[in-house]
Amino acid sequence: MKARSLHEPPRPSGSRDPGPFRMLDYDLELQHHNLALRRACAIRASDQVLDIGCGTGQTTREAAQLATAGSVLGIDRSNEMIERAKQLSDEAGLHNVEYVCADAERYEPPRERFDVAISRFGTMFFADPVAAFSNLRSALRADGRLVMMVWQQRDRNEWATSIERALMPDGAGTTGSIAVPPAFSFGDPDAARRILDATGFATATFDEVHAPVFYGRDVEAAFDFVSGFSTVNEKLARLDANERARAVERLRDLLAEHRRADGVWFDSRAWIVSTRRK
């Protein structure tokens, strides 16, 4: 599901080092977003829930704790994350959770089984979104809900624009046409509604979540975290040694500028997209 841009969670395609500490760092990064999504999902005790791109299962476990008379199926393309999700669910004593290592774009979940499908930044990276959402729709019961969090447009997300500027080669301009990275593919509500409408979903609502992302308790922790983004590594690899050193210095300075008493934070804006199966 996540085929990665500048910053995406350590899910399927390995945008970051998938070690257990980085996977848990991702949950800390999105702590404010997670609260907003949990409220929007409004999981009921009897719900059957599908969690798309579940990663290490934070959203899956939280859904399971609410769906006490139901169950939750979490799917993710990373086997390491699925294994970690299983471990954490076992440690939490949850018995109404299952996990499947699969690509949600191709995986065929049980048809018309689920009352609600949820996702925290796990649906923007489909190579064929029409096929993917058609597949997910078939898993929902009549009038079943889809509630997902996606990033707004790139220029509304400080974490994306500021880090990218810090990594630009010396003298590079910022003008010109820039292709929309996959992370922001659902940032335009009109375009997203067209995809959902074409795949059998009702007109979606887009509720803004304006909240900061957390990158670490201090500059060094934040630098270690950001250095795990695959695109940060890719951009640095294109620079010669001198340019790379200057880019790293600019990145450290940027992180220092964003340090507060409680850590390093960057502004972000996301949508909570809510719709139903027609």
Side-chain angles (χ1 to χ4, degrees):
M1 280 128 330
K2 293 206 164 197
R4 291 352 173 223
S5 170
L6 177 63
H7 145 46
E8 291 106 43
R11 283 194 238 254
S13 61
S15 184
R16 300 178 180 142
D17 175 343
F21 297 108
R22 286 198 180 281
M23 291 189 283
L24 296 178
D25 283 348
Y26 176 61
D27 292 336
L28 288 174
E29 177 189 3
L30 297 174
Q31 54 193 271
H32 294 302
H33 299 74
N34 199 65
L35 290 171
L37 180 62
R38 187 167 60 201
R39 288 192 295 266
C41 288
I43 303 298
R44 301 167 299 185
S46 61
D47 276 343
Q48 302 293 319
V49 184
L50 174 64
D51 189 1
I52 307 154
C54 66
T56 54
Q58 181 185 34
T59 49
T60 322
R61 294 190 300 277
E62 291 175 348
Q65 290 164 349
L66 295 170
T68 53
S71 67
V72 187
L73 173 63
I75 60 174
D76 197 284
R77 211 170 76 181
S78 167
N79 184 65
E80 184 172 6
M81 292 192 192
I82 288 294
E83 290 305 311
R84 180 63 170 157
K86 290 177 180 178
Q87 178 186 353
L88 292 171
S89 293
D90 289 343
E91 291 174 357
L94 297 171
H95 304 292
N96 58 339
V97 180
E98 294 180 73
Y99 293 98
V100 173
C101 181
D103 186 338
E105 191 167 354
R106 299 175 180 84
Y107 174 64
E108 294 186 7
R111 290 184 174 272
E112 300 186 353
R113 169 181 165 181
F114 300 99
D115 299 292
V116 57
I118 67 174
S119 181
R120 188 182 69 182
F121 299 114
T123 57
M124 304 99 68
F125 300 87
F126 296 128
D128 186 345
V130 171
F133 282 101
S134 296
N135 188 32
L136 294 174
R137 177 191 177 278
S138 71
L140 290 172
R141 293 173 175 168
D143 207 35
R145 297 182 295 129
L146 171 64
V147 184
M148 56 187 180
M149 181 170 275
V150 300
W151 294 118
Q152 291 190 29
Q153 293 94 328
R154 175 184 170 279
D155 61 4
R156 305 203 76 199
N157 279 280
E158 181 189 42
W159 57 263
T161 56
S162 60
I163 292 176
E164 184 164 315
R165 282 195 301 270
L167 298 174
M168 283 184 175
D170 296 341
T174 59
T175 58
S177 177
I178 299 176
V180 177
F184 308 105
S185 63
F186 258 60
D188 178 356
D190 290 336
R193 286 190 182 101
R194 286 194 291 272
I195 292 171
L196 293 170
D197 181 68
T199 53
F201 286 96
T203 301
T205 60
F206 285 69
D207 295 311
E208 181 173 67
V209 177
H210 184 193
V213 290
F214 176 73
Y215 277 4
R217 65 187 181 279
D218 54 33
V219 172
E220 283 306 310
F223 182 78
D224 179 65
F225 187 55
V226 172
S227 296
F229 300 168
S230 64
T231 309
V232 169
N233 288 313
E234 290 165 5
K235 288 181 180 298
L236 290 174
R238 298 190 193 109
L239 304 177
D240 64 33
N242 290 330
E243 287 180 328
R244 189 180 309 119
R246 288 192 289 271
V248 167
E249 184 178 0
R250 288 194 297 269
L251 179 57
R252 286 185 179 276
D253 289 344
L254 175 68
L255 297 172
E257 291 170 7
H258 284 77
R259 183 180 181 182
R260 307 188 321 206
D262 57 346
V264 178
W265 299 82
F266 281 77
D267 190 43
S268 80
R269 292 177 187 266
W271 296 120
I272 291 179
V273 185
S274 303
T275 184
R276 291 181 178 271
R277 173 177 173 164
K278 289 180 182 176

XYZ file of all heavy atoms in Angstrom, residues 224-269:
377
model
N 17.817 10.749 13.622
C 17.863 9.300 13.422
C 16.575 8.801 12.779
O 16.604 7.968 11.868
C 18.090 8.603 14.753
C 18.118 7.088 14.613
O 19.031 6.563 13.959
O 17.203 6.429 15.153
N 15.450 9.338 13.229
C 14.158 8.907 12.686
C 14.014 9.318 11.231
O 13.701 8.505 10.361
C 13.043 9.527 13.534
C 11.657 9.042 13.182
C 11.356 7.698 13.186
C 10.654 9.954 12.877
C 10.069 7.255 12.876
C 9.378 9.522 12.573
C 9.086 8.168 12.574
N 14.283 10.592 10.942
C 14.138 11.101 9.576
C 15.133 10.429 8.637
O 14.829 10.186 7.460
C 14.299 12.637 9.565
C 14.359 13.176 8.145
C 13.158 13.296 10.332
N 16.300 10.102 9.146
C 17.305 9.435 8.321
C 16.848 8.058 7.860
O 17.426 7.488 6.928
C 18.626 9.308 9.091
O 19.171 10.573 9.365
N 15.829 7.518 8.512
C 15.293 6.232 8.090
C 14.325 6.314 6.932
O 13.932 5.289 6.383
N 13.917 7.533 6.521
C 13.021 7.666 5.377
C 13.786 7.287 4.118
O 14.873 7.808 3.853
C 12.512 9.099 5.229
C 11.736 9.639 6.400
C 11.455 10.989 6.482
C 11.303 8.811 7.417
C 10.748 11.506 7.550
C 10.593 9.318 8.496
C 10.319 10.666 8.559
N 13.231 6.415 3.332
C 13.948 5.957 2.141
C 14.259 7.103 1.196
O 15.339 7.161 0.601
C 13.140 4.886 1.406
O 11.924 5.414 0.925
N 13.340 8.050 1.054
C 13.571 9.123 0.098
C 14.637 10.093 0.589
O 15.345 10.693 -0.221
C 12.259 9.865 -0.204
O 11.275 8.914 -0.557
C 12.435 10.835 -1.342
N 14.768 10.241 1.904
C 15.869 11.049 2.422
C 17.192 10.415 1.999
O 18.098 11.090 1.498
C 15.780 11.174 3.954
C 17.065 11.774 4.528
C 14.582 12.040 4.344
N 17.290 9.115 2.164
C 18.510 8.419 1.758
C 18.740 8.523 0.253
O 19.870 8.707 -0.208
C 18.438 6.954 2.170
C 18.575 6.779 3.669
O 19.455 7.370 4.278
N 17.715 5.993 4.261
N 17.664 8.413 -0.509
C 17.795 8.480 -1.969
C 18.269 9.863 -2.409
O 19.127 9.987 -3.293
C 16.454 8.141 -2.619
C 16.062 6.675 -2.469
C 14.602 6.437 -2.790
O 13.920 7.398 -3.226
O 14.127 5.302 -2.596
N 17.712 10.902 -1.806
C 18.114 12.262 -2.188
C 19.569 12.523 -1.796
O 20.326 13.131 -2.556
C 17.175 13.282 -1.545
C 15.778 13.312 -2.157
C 14.913 14.346 -1.495
C 13.515 14.382 -2.108
N 13.530 14.754 -3.524
N 19.952 12.094 -0.613
C 21.329 12.297 -0.186
C 22.303 11.519 -1.064
O 23.415 11.990 -1.349
C 21.496 11.875 1.275
C 20.827 12.777 2.320
C 20.947 12.165 3.706
C 21.424 14.177 2.305
N 21.894 10.352 -1.525
C 22.780 9.525 -2.352
C 23.074 10.171 -3.699
O 24.099 9.857 -4.328
C 22.162 8.142 -2.552
N 22.201 11.064 -4.159
C 22.412 11.727 -5.450
C 23.397 12.885 -5.361
O 23.813 13.433 -6.387
C 21.074 12.246 -5.994
C 20.037 11.156 -6.265
C 18.858 11.733 -7.017
N 17.738 10.808 -7.027
C 16.610 10.988 -6.348
N 16.451 12.086 -5.617
N 15.636 10.112 -6.404
N 23.754 13.279 -4.135
C 24.629 14.425 -3.944
C 26.084 13.979 -3.826
O 26.370 12.864 -3.363
C 24.226 15.179 -2.670
C 22.768 15.654 -2.591
C 22.518 16.322 -1.243
C 22.420 16.588 -3.734
N 26.984 14.874 -4.221
C 28.392 14.540 -3.993
C 28.705 14.746 -2.512
O 27.870 15.222 -1.736
C 29.316 15.366 -4.897
C 29.259 16.869 -4.622
O 29.064 17.276 -3.447
O 29.405 17.657 -5.588
N 29.908 14.380 -2.102
C 30.241 14.362 -0.673
C 30.061 15.723 -0.018
O 29.520 15.831 1.097
C 31.668 13.857 -0.492
N 30.503 16.792 -0.694
C 30.394 18.123 -0.109
C 28.946 18.583 -0.004
O 28.517 19.139 1.012
C 31.207 19.127 -0.933
C 32.704 18.907 -0.789
O 33.173 18.440 0.243
N 33.459 19.256 -1.830
N 28.181 18.361 -1.087
C 26.761 18.732 -1.064
C 26.014 17.928 0.000
O 25.127 18.449 0.685
C 26.131 18.497 -2.432
C 26.547 19.494 -3.502
C 25.882 19.185 -4.826
O 25.641 17.987 -5.100
O 25.596 20.124 -5.583
N 26.368 16.646 0.124
C 25.702 15.801 1.111
C 25.953 16.321 2.518
O 25.036 16.385 3.341
C 26.188 14.361 0.971
C 25.401 13.354 1.820
C 25.932 11.939 1.627
N 26.012 11.608 0.220
C 27.142 11.302 -0.414
N 28.288 11.269 0.250
N 27.133 11.001 -1.698
N 27.163 16.693 2.809
C 27.487 17.209 4.138
C 26.695 18.482 4.430
O 26.194 18.671 5.546
C 28.994 17.467 4.237
N 26.584 19.356 3.426
C 25.822 20.593 3.634
C 24.332 20.302 3.800
O 23.654 20.953 4.607
C 26.070 21.557 2.465
C 27.477 22.165 2.474
C 27.589 23.308 1.488
N 27.570 22.832 0.107
C 28.635 22.471 -0.587
N 29.851 22.514 -0.024
N 28.549 22.083 -1.846
N 23.813 19.335 3.046
C 22.400 18.975 3.169
C 22.109 18.399 4.551
O 21.079 18.714 5.170
C 22.021 17.977 2.080
N 22.998 17.564 5.051
C 22.822 17.000 6.386
C 22.852 18.104 7.439
O 22.046 18.105 8.382
C 23.914 15.943 6.671
C 23.955 15.585 8.161
C 23.664 14.692 5.835
N 23.735 19.071 7.263
C 23.798 20.201 8.195
C 22.508 21.006 8.154
O 21.969 21.407 9.202
C 24.981 21.101 7.855
C 25.170 22.253 8.832
C 26.384 23.101 8.507
O 27.093 22.794 7.521
O 26.620 24.086 9.233
N 21.978 21.234 6.940
C 20.713 21.972 6.821
C 19.571 21.187 7.478
O 18.690 21.780 8.119
C 20.393 22.242 5.351
C 21.275 23.284 4.696
C 20.692 23.741 3.364
N 20.608 22.658 2.396
C 21.561 22.341 1.523
N 22.711 23.011 1.523
N 21.397 21.359 0.656
N 19.590 19.869 7.308
C 18.541 19.050 7.910
C 18.611 19.118 9.435
O 17.579 19.271 10.101
C 18.675 17.602 7.424
C 17.660 16.605 7.979
C 16.228 17.051 7.682
C 17.915 15.212 7.407
N 19.797 19.033 9.981
C 19.948 19.145 11.440
C 19.476 20.518 11.929
O 18.807 20.624 12.959
C 21.403 18.912 11.841
C 21.846 17.449 11.774
C 23.264 17.297 12.311
N 23.705 15.929 12.287
C 23.445 15.036 13.234
N 22.710 15.396 14.286
N 23.904 13.805 13.152
N 19.850 21.570 11.192
C 19.413 22.920 11.572
C 17.890 23.022 11.539
O 17.275 23.652 12.419
C 20.022 23.954 10.628
C 21.515 24.142 10.835
O 22.026 23.709 11.893
O 22.169 24.712 9.934
N 17.287 22.423 10.523
C 15.826 22.445 10.408
C 15.181 21.759 11.604
O 14.215 22.281 12.191
C 15.403 21.759 9.112
C 13.896 21.592 8.888
C 13.230 22.947 8.672
C 13.620 20.673 7.697
N 15.698 20.610 11.975
C 15.147 19.887 13.117
C 15.320 20.697 14.400
O 14.408 20.731 15.247
C 15.821 18.523 13.248
C 15.595 17.559 12.073
C 16.471 16.320 12.217
C 14.122 17.171 11.946
N 16.454 21.368 14.523
C 16.680 22.192 15.708
C 15.677 23.348 15.775
O 15.207 23.716 16.857
C 18.108 22.736 15.699
N 15.331 23.908 14.618
C 14.351 24.994 14.576
C 12.971 24.535 15.044
O 12.169 25.352 15.515
C 14.247 25.539 13.151
C 15.476 26.298 12.676
C 15.410 26.593 11.184
O 14.347 26.315 10.573
O 16.406 27.087 10.628
N 12.709 23.247 14.888
C 11.385 22.718 15.230
C 11.354 22.031 16.593
O 10.359 21.396 16.941
C 10.915 21.753 14.142
C 10.454 22.454 12.906
N 11.333 22.983 11.985
C 9.211 22.734 12.436
C 10.654 23.551 10.999
N 9.376 23.419 11.253
N 12.435 22.169 17.330
C 12.441 21.561 18.659
C 11.674 22.424 19.644
O 11.856 23.642 19.716
C 13.875 21.369 19.153
C 13.905 20.665 20.518
C 15.295 20.463 21.051
N 15.232 19.766 22.336
C 16.286 19.471 23.082
N 17.492 19.823 22.664
N 16.146 18.847 24.221
N 10.781 21.776 20.402
C 10.072 22.415 21.491
C 10.490 21.737 22.793
O 11.284 20.792 22.782
C 8.552 22.277 21.294
C 8.089 22.760 19.946
C 6.577 22.810 19.780
N 5.839 21.710 20.388
C 4.642 21.300 19.970
N 4.071 21.901 18.920
N 4.013 20.325 20.566
N 9.926 22.198 23.899
C 10.268 21.607 25.183
C 9.929 20.121 25.237
O 10.592 19.335 25.925
C 9.541 22.345 26.308
N 8.889 19.715 24.473
C 8.449 18.314 24.501
C 8.879 17.539 23.268
O 8.324 16.471 22.977
C 6.929 18.242 24.659
C 6.177 18.991 23.559
O 6.823 19.795 22.830
O 4.962 18.794 23.428
N 9.838 18.041 22.489
C 10.335 17.281 21.357
C 10.332 18.071 20.065
O 10.091 19.280 20.052
N 10.599 17.355 18.970
C 10.672 17.959 17.640
C 9.366 17.668 16.905
O 8.996 16.509 16.708
C 11.869 17.399 16.843
C 11.910 18.001 15.440
C 13.171 17.678 17.587
N 8.695 18.729 16.478
C 7.374 18.614 15.864
C 7.339 19.395 14.550
O 7.962 20.452 14.444
C 6.294 19.175 16.788
C 6.168 18.488 18.108
C 6.932 18.705 19.218
C 5.211 17.494 18.460
N 6.516 17.900 20.251
C 5.466 17.144 19.819
C 4.175 16.856 17.779
C 4.702 16.188 20.488
C 3.417 15.909 18.449
C 3.682 15.569 19.784
N 6.567 18.872 13.579
C 6.338 19.573 12.316
C 4.832 19.658 12.073
O 4.079 18.736 12.397
C 6.995 18.828 11.148
C 8.471 19.046 11.027
C 9.349 18.396 11.884
C 9.001 19.911 10.075
C 10.711 18.586 11.796
C 10.370 20.117 9.981
C 11.229 19.454 10.839
N 4.426 20.750 11.470
C 3.014 20.941 11.158
C 2.576 19.972 10.061
O 3.362 19.608 9.175
C 2.775 22.374 10.695
C 1.299 22.710 10.597
O 0.537 22.325 11.513
O 0.893 23.338 9.606
N 1.335 19.551 10.132
C 0.790 18.677 9.083
C -0.718 18.860 8.989
O -1.364 19.333 9.934
C 1.101 17.205 9.374
O 0.205 16.666 10.328
N -1.241 18.487 7.854
C -2.693 18.505 7.641
C -3.100 17.232 6.920
O -2.472 16.829 5.939
C -3.110 19.725 6.813
C -2.923 21.058 7.543
C -3.282 22.232 6.670
N -2.963 23.495 7.297
C -3.817 24.229 8.015
N -5.062 23.802 8.169
N -3.439 25.361 8.543
